[in-house]
Amino acid sequence: MRLEVSGHLLDVAVGDELELMGQLYYPGPPRNPGEFDYGDWLRSQRLDGVVRVEHPDHLVVIASRPTIRERFANLRDRLRKQCERLLIQRLDAPHVPVAASLLLGERSGLTDAVKEHFAQSGTMHLLAISGLHVGVLAGLAAIFCRLLKLRRVATAVVLLTVVLGYAVITDQRPPVLRAAVLATIVLTGAAAGRTSDGYHTLALCGIVLLLLRPTDLFDTGAQLSFLAVLAILWCNRSLRKLDGIQDAGFDSLDDASSWTRTARRFRRALRDGYAVTGAIWLVTLPLAAHRFELIARSGWSSMCC
């Protein structure tokens, strides 16, 4: 059962045996077509229903006999609370809820006004923990390793520790878990000195995720994520082939001036950005239109702005 308590619930940990007084609730089917199916989501989390407790005083801890897995969950919760305390110490009070949402996925402290501002600005997706956060964090860690001139194996170990540690702290959210599994496969191959094919790596990632979370096969977010990565891989390969054809048409690029080479790299980077964005938009468009009954033009807008 999912336990929902109104107010701040203190001194309760994973694995505790509780005595409580509340209301047992089994969500019914959606009342409107296309509405979010809360009962189906609960079943995907291996939950049957919800117990709602109106006040923390209506709940008492009887015994605490956590298993090894539950002790690990309690350690993860302590790490999250420590991260939240660091944010409170380092940032101004109005910025703490936004920082906790951006970095830890904790959105309970956000007010409705702040959420509305993000929604109106089209940046609501930044408040949701995603693979983008894992990529940015891994990129910063890679720069740090480069500055320290670490070897290949040491760099892979550091990046794996950072990525997996972040996945644990963020409670293994599905987007973070997908990115962490993909990064683990790539970094493990890099540490062994093996090159990886993008399609094979993505396929192996999908197999591992289906073993861990079989319901992701029917999850729209997971489907969109894999489609987007497939679009990136296909577009990147097509662009590299195009670059090879174009480079073959030049007799010598070594004689070109530094300004010419810089302008050419900038032009290619700009082209790659537009092409990859367009490929992702086109590939994910049919699924998004089918599931959400919406064709968003933001993909073209972001390319044109």
Side-chain angles (χ1 to χ4, degrees):
M1 307 301 294
R2 175 184 174 91
L3 177 62
E4 297 180 356
V5 182
S6 299
H8 294 286
L9 185 62
L10 304 176
D11 300 327
V12 175
V14 178
D16 290 347
E17 184 178 344
L18 307 176
E19 182 180 90
L20 55 88
M21 181 178 65
Q23 181 181 9
L24 182 61
Y25 168 67
Y26 290 97
R31 298 183 178 181
N32 299 309
E35 185 180 4
F36 176 68
D37 193 338
Y38 185 49
D40 184 66
W41 180 84
L42 284 176
R43 287 187 292 272
S44 70
Q45 304 299 313
R46 300 181 180 179
L47 299 171
D48 296 319
V50 179
V51 176
R52 293 175 176 171
V53 178
E54 296 298 330
H55 196 276
D57 292 341
H58 297 169
L59 185 148
V60 178
V61 178
I62 299 177
S64 180
R65 293 184 291 269
T67 62
I68 295 178
R69 183 177 180 179
E70 291 167 345
R71 291 178 186 274
F72 178 78
N74 289 326
L75 175 62
R76 178 195 61 208
D77 292 340
R78 288 195 293 269
L79 288 175
R80 282 179 61 88
K81 291 178 180 179
Q82 180 62 30
C83 292
E84 293 175 1
R85 284 194 290 267
L86 287 174
L87 293 177
I88 294 174
Q89 295 174 2
R90 302 290 181 178
L91 301 175
D92 296 334
H95 301 154
V96 172
V98 177
S101 178
L102 290 171
L103 300 176
L104 303 176
E106 179 57 54
R107 302 172 63 176
S108 60
L110 292 175
T111 62
D112 293 337
V114 173
K115 294 179 182 177
E116 183 65 23
H117 288 320
F118 274 92
Q120 291 179 355
S121 63
T123 56
M124 190 67 179
H125 60 282
L126 295 177
L127 296 179
I129 292 292
S130 64
L132 175 65
H133 296 72
V134 179
V136 172
L137 185 62
L140 292 175
I143 294 175
F144 179 76
C145 294
R146 179 68 63 87
L147 294 176
L148 293 179
K149 298 181 180 180
L150 298 181
R151 295 181 179 272
R152 182 186 65 236
V153 176
T155 299
V157 171
V158 171
L159 293 181
L160 276 174
T161 303
V162 170
V163 170
L164 296 179
Y166 185 68
V168 170
I169 292 176
T170 55
D171 201 14
Q172 300 175 13
R173 302 290 179 89
V176 177
L177 182 61
R178 290 193 290 268
V181 171
L182 185 62
T184 300
I185 296 172
V186 173
L187 292 173
T188 303
R194 302 292 297 272
T195 58
S196 58
D197 178 81
Y199 295 115
H200 294 168
T201 302
L202 188 62
L204 179 58
C205 177
I207 293 173
V208 174
L209 288 172
L210 287 177
L211 292 175
L212 296 175
R213 301 171 58 93
T215 55
D216 280 359
L217 181 63
F218 311 100
D219 181 70
T220 305
Q223 295 169 0
L224 289 173
S225 296
F226 275 88
L227 282 176
V229 176
L230 279 173
I232 293 172
L233 293 175
W234 171 79
C235 186
N236 183 66
R237 287 195 174 188
S238 300
L239 291 173
R240 298 292 77 82
K241 290 181 179 179
L242 179 62
D243 291 340
I245 295 174
Q246 291 179 348
D247 292 342
F250 290 90
D251 295 333
S252 177
L253 293 176
D254 298 332
D255 298 334
S257 65
S258 59
W259 286 103
T260 302
R261 291 194 296 268
T262 302
R264 194 159 180 262
R265 294 193 191 100
F266 177 78
R267 185 172 65 251
R268 282 188 174 180
L270 192 63
R271 178 208 61 186
D272 292 351
Y274 282 114
V276 170
T277 303
I280 295 174
W281 187 85
L282 288 173
V283 170
T284 58
L285 176 62
L287 179 60
H290 172 68
R291 292 297 178 89
F292 306 114
E293 299 183 0
L294 177 68
I295 298 179
R297 294 176 296 175
S298 57
W300 293 116
S301 299
S302 62
M303 289 190 293
C304 298
C305 295

